Amino acid sequence: MGVADMQSNGNGNEGFSFRRCVFRRKQVDSHRVSSHSGGQTQQLAKILSVVDIIAIGVGATIGAGVYILVGTVAREQTGPALTVSFFIAGIAAALSAFCYAELVCRCPSAGSAYHYTYICIGEGAAWLVGWALILEYTIGGSAIARGLTPNLALFFGGQDNLPSYLARHSIPWLGIVVDPCAAVLILVVTLLLCIGIKESSFAQTVVTTVNVFGMLFIIIVGGYLAFKTEWIGYELPSGYFPFGVNGMLAGSAVVFFSFIGFDVVASTAEEVKNPQRDLPLGIGVALSVCCILYMLVSVVIVGLVPYYALDPDTPISSAFASHGMQWAVYIITTGAVTALCASLMGSLLPQPRMFMAMARDGLLPPFFSDISERTQVPVKSTVIIGILAAALAFFMDVSQLAGMVSVGTLLAFTSVAVSVLILRYVPPNEVPLHPSLQQLIDSPSLQFNSDSQEIAYQNPKGSLSNYDLSQHLLDNIGTSIGCTLLPKHMAQGEQNEQKRRKIAAWNIALVCVGVFVLASAASVENIPSILRFPLCTVGGAILLCSLIVLACLAQDNERHSFGHSGGFVCPFVPFLPVACILVNTYLLVNLGAGTWFRVSIWLLIGALVYLFYGRTHSSLKNAVYVPTAHADEIYRTSSDLLA
């Protein structure tokens, strides 16, 4: 069967064609396809060092939430055990960090989780993750900017003393409160991001340094005061766990979201000088610094004041004020403001690169993939996103939508963990060829001998004579890209490999099913007790059995040559990625029905955009897949013909 026959069959069956679109996967260096087809792919500037990456990671992670969160969580859920909750949450975040670290080394390109999902799982899942992250970054940036206004007002003596052009104003006939200060802050950050990645990373380093010094002030001075008062916050009759272990674990689920942000580092992969070395180091150091600072701050604050006496709105400032240090509020407020500024930059930085990656793949208009020749950043995307976020911050109080921002990150964390499992057990073994390159391959002058792994396209009509394209359609996650034609006399070793891949693919799918059933049964409140236990048992059994099979199954040898070589390798596979999937799915299920209803509307809009635009404009629309082993020979031969 020839290439033309395969395409006509796919187009003749609409259901099959749509399924083919959803599961089609791109290659690691997808720019290579564009270059071979004669296109010019603009590249971002590779100028970021490991110091820049750490500053971006720490700045995007440590928001002002920690200045408030410690009081709320300690009072209501953990008590003095807040430090343990931060530690457990840090371990849970590290599971995702390990998965990111491996993929960012193998696939160092813009797009972060969207890019990895497109390579390992398929176009449909990648679009879903990318669309959810767009929502997260937009609402997150607007919410952070709105939160900056009251904190900045403290330096002016209150919001009533802010200049009129920055103060919030109510519009009665519209029932909204506009926030000019928030919009101006977003536009300033947008301008900074347009100047260049080096300049914006320098600004990020400055504000992050100020924020870290503010937290060090809390730790050092607060620790000194606690020693003087003999840590009265821990001398309680209720002990270290007043709310029990369950309260401590519930607190971990809440403070886990304080660690969201390190994944922003992955979006800058294309701009890092040495991604294989610097990106894993940057992710690891950033997450470690944040976890240590969080734990030390919590140790000091719950030691200064008994947890039940903490002010839920200003816990740190009130704790220092109770010891006669009212002036410390200015230092703490400075730390909170710089933390918010760093988080704002961390929210606006990755989104233009996400748009750029999706536009490169044809899923969004090519306008978004334009890169400025002078600054080597996606200026057009940055400006549009900045204006949109500024408008949202100006007109809307997005705090009630804040729960939606967690969906994008948790979906990204989950897809990255699944991608690691796929990469290890069933890595993609086919390469998409651009339609123009396909025409060169189908020409009579290009020949392939299947015995010597040279191409033999003898038929001028484009059908294959000596090479069977069926081998690129191995039955794994992402099947149904084309018609699978098994050779009559397949070698025993190839048959065993096919069987291993099938078993691995099915068990990866069963892991996801078991995790979903278990997390849903354990978390959803409306499930009757008589059903909860059987569902938990079934979900746990599916998860455990499939995990055991994966642990006993040999990993694919091709994983060593997949993507870029060198760099970090995720340890304890499959246990670590499966634990990551379980933690993030549990948190996703617990976001609440209201949040999921609003997110579902956004995802439905995204599905329509993909159905009517992305699916038909994808760069893989007419791509033909060939085995990875033959891709290099095909590229070399086509280059010789073009020369």
Side-chain angles (χ1 to χ4, degrees):
M1 179 179 289
V3 173
D5 299 327
M6 292 172 60
Q7 288 178 335
S8 64
N9 289 346
N11 293 332
N13 188 330
E14 291 299 326
F16 178 80
S17 177
F18 180 75
R19 194 157 55 99
R20 178 178 179 268
C21 294
V22 170
F23 286 107
R24 59 192 175 195
R25 297 182 285 189
K26 67 177 183 178
Q27 63 189 98
V28 173
D29 292 318
S30 53
H31 313 316
R32 184 182 189 184
V33 177
S34 176
S35 63
H36 277 285
S37 63
Q40 296 295 324
T41 302
Q42 298 169 300
Q43 301 294 319
L44 300 171
K46 297 182 74 68
I47 55 177
L48 294 181
S49 65
V50 67
V51 176
D52 298 320
I53 296 170
I54 294 172
I56 291 173
V58 174
T61 304
I62 300 181
V66 68
Y67 291 89
I68 301 173
L69 205 59
V70 292
T72 304
V73 177
R75 279 176 58 96
E76 300 176 1
Q77 292 171 310
T78 67
L82 177 62
T83 306
V84 181
S85 293
F86 270 114
F87 178 74
I88 293 174
I91 295 297
L95 299 176
S96 297
F98 279 121
C99 297
Y100 265 97
E102 173 163 348
L103 290 174
V104 82
C105 291
R106 293 184 180 271
C107 317
S109 184
S112 185
Y114 157 80
H115 180 61
Y116 315 142
T117 307
Y118 204 160
I119 291 170
C120 296
I121 301 177
E123 186 175 281
W127 171 263
L128 179 70
V129 170
W131 192 252
L133 286 173
I134 289 172
L135 176 71
E136 175 197 342
Y137 294 139
T138 303
I139 294 182
S142 301
I144 291 169
R146 278 251 175 178
L148 263 167
T149 302
N151 283 278
L152 285 173
L154 293 175
F155 292 107
F156 293 88
Q159 296 198 46
D160 295 336
N161 296 324
L162 273 174
S164 59
Y165 56 86
L166 293 179
R168 291 177 175 174
H169 299 282
S170 177
I171 303 180
W173 62 89
L174 293 178
I176 61 174
V177 177
V178 297
D179 193 337
C181 183
V184 169
L185 286 168
I186 289 179
L187 294 177
V188 169
V189 172
T190 299
L191 177 62
L192 181 62
L193 293 174
C194 289
I195 295 175
I197 186 63
K198 192 65 178 177
E199 292 76 9
S200 57
S201 66
F202 175 76
Q204 180 82 304
T205 302
V206 172
V207 295
T208 300
T209 302
V210 175
N211 179 26
V212 170
F213 273 110
M215 296 186 75
L216 289 176
F217 168 82
I218 296 171
I219 294 167
I220 295 172
V221 178
Y224 171 74
L225 292 175
F227 272 114
K228 286 182 64 177
T229 57
E230 297 182 350
W231 300 92
I232 57 173
Y234 292 104
E235 296 178 357
L236 301 173
S238 56
Y240 195 73
F241 296 92
F243 298 94
V245 175
N246 289 335
M248 182 262 295
L249 293 175
S252 297
V254 175
V255 300
F256 173 82
F257 295 102
S258 300
F259 292 91
I260 289 178
F262 69 86
D263 53 307
V264 171
V265 170
S267 67
T268 65
E270 202 170 312
E271 297 159 285
V272 179
K273 295 177 183 177
N274 188 348
Q276 274 71 35
R277 182 198 67 185
D278 294 346
L279 284 170
L281 185 61
I283 292 174
V285 172
L287 188 60
S288 299
V289 168
C290 294
C291 187
I292 292 171
L293 289 175
Y294 286 158
M295 291 174 64
L296 291 177
V297 167
S298 61
V299 166
V300 168
I301 296 306
V302 296
L304 276 175
V305 180
Y307 72 91
Y308 51 79
L310 285 171
D311 188 322
D313 297 321
T314 57
I316 299 178
S317 300
S318 61
F320 277 84
S322 66
H323 289 78
M325 295 182 63
Q326 287 82 358
W327 54 269
V329 66
Y330 296 104
I331 298 177
I332 296 168
T333 302
T334 300
V337 168
T338 54
L340 282 167
C341 290
S343 294
L344 180 59
M345 283 189 276
S347 291
L348 297 181
L349 172 67
Q351 188 160 345
R353 286 146 183 83
M354 181 72 68
F355 271 72
M356 182 191 69
M358 298 174 82
R360 281 176 174 176
D361 297 327
L363 304 184
L364 289 177
F367 170 86
F368 292 105
S369 64
D370 290 345
I371 296 176
S372 170
E373 294 183 1
R374 187 174 65 86
T375 62
Q376 292 184 284
V377 296
V379 173
K380 294 179 181 178
S381 297
T382 304
V383 170
I384 290 177
I385 290 163
I387 293 174
L388 175 61
L392 278 176
F394 182 79
F395 288 107
M396 293 179 61
D397 182 8
V398 294
S399 60
Q400 47 192 291
L401 305 179
M404 299 170 65
V405 305
S406 303
V407 174
T409 296
L410 294 175
L411 281 177
F413 285 3
T414 304
S415 67
V416 165
V418 174
S419 297
V420 170
L421 290 176
I422 293 175
L423 187 152
R424 293 296 191 91
Y425 289 97
V426 281
N429 56 356
E430 67 273 347
V431 173
L433 299 183
H434 194 272
S436 61
L437 190 58
Q438 173 194 332
Q439 294 172 6
L440 292 173
I441 295 171
D442 288 345
S443 65
S445 59
L446 187 58
Q447 297 184 349
F448 183 96
N449 186 309
S450 61
D451 295 331
S452 60
Q453 292 189 350
E454 297 176 354
I455 302 178
Y457 294 89
Q458 305 276 352
N459 192 334
K461 294 182 180 180
S463 62
L464 306 182
S465 59
N466 293 332
Y467 176 62
D468 190 354
L469 266 180
S470 64
Q471 288 189 348
H472 82 278
L473 301 168
L474 294 177
D475 190 6
N476 55 34
I477 293 179
T479 57
S480 69
I481 292 177
C483 300
T484 304
L485 303 176
L486 294 177
K488 293 181 179 179
H489 302 290
M490 181 179 289
Q492 184 64 36
E494 293 179 351
Q495 291 179 344
N496 292 337
E497 178 61 14
Q498 289 274 39
K499 183 178 180 181
R500 186 202 63 79
R501 288 177 67 91
K502 286 183 179 180
I503 294 173
W506 274 106
N507 279 277
I508 291 172
L510 287 173
V511 162
C512 297
V513 171
V515 165
F516 179 76
V517 172
L518 178 61
S520 300
S523 304
V524 177
E525 297 179 356
N526 297 329
I527 297 179
S529 301
I530 195 172
L531 291 178
R532 189 182 303 275
F533 180 75
L535 286 175
C536 287
T537 303
V538 171
I542 294 174
L543 173 60
L544 183 60
C545 292
S546 54
L547 178 59
I548 291 173
V549 172
L550 285 176
C552 297
L553 208 60
Q555 297 184 23
D556 198 301
N557 291 327
E558 294 299 321
R559 72 187 189 278
H560 299 297
S561 57
F562 182 82
H564 293 246
S565 59
F568 182 83
V569 176
C570 180
F572 308 118
V573 175
F575 303 104
L576 189 147
V578 170
C580 178
I581 296 170
L582 180 60
V583 169
N584 292 302
T585 304
Y586 174 80
L587 294 173
L588 278 169
V589 172
N590 278 277
L591 287 177
T595 296
W596 272 111
F597 176 76
R598 291 188 288 267
V599 170
S600 297
I601 295 174
W602 174 254
L603 295 180
L604 178 61
I605 295 172
L608 294 175
V609 173
Y610 174 73
L611 183 65
F612 292 106
Y613 183 88
R615 182 176 64 93
T616 57
H617 291 78
S618 171
S619 59
L620 300 181
K621 179 182 178 182
N622 297 316
V624 175
Y625 289 74
V626 300
T628 305
H630 305 313
D632 292 335
E633 180 65 27
I634 291 173
Y635 285 126
R636 282 195 299 269
T637 309
S638 60
S639 298
D640 292 340
L641 288 175
L642 289 172

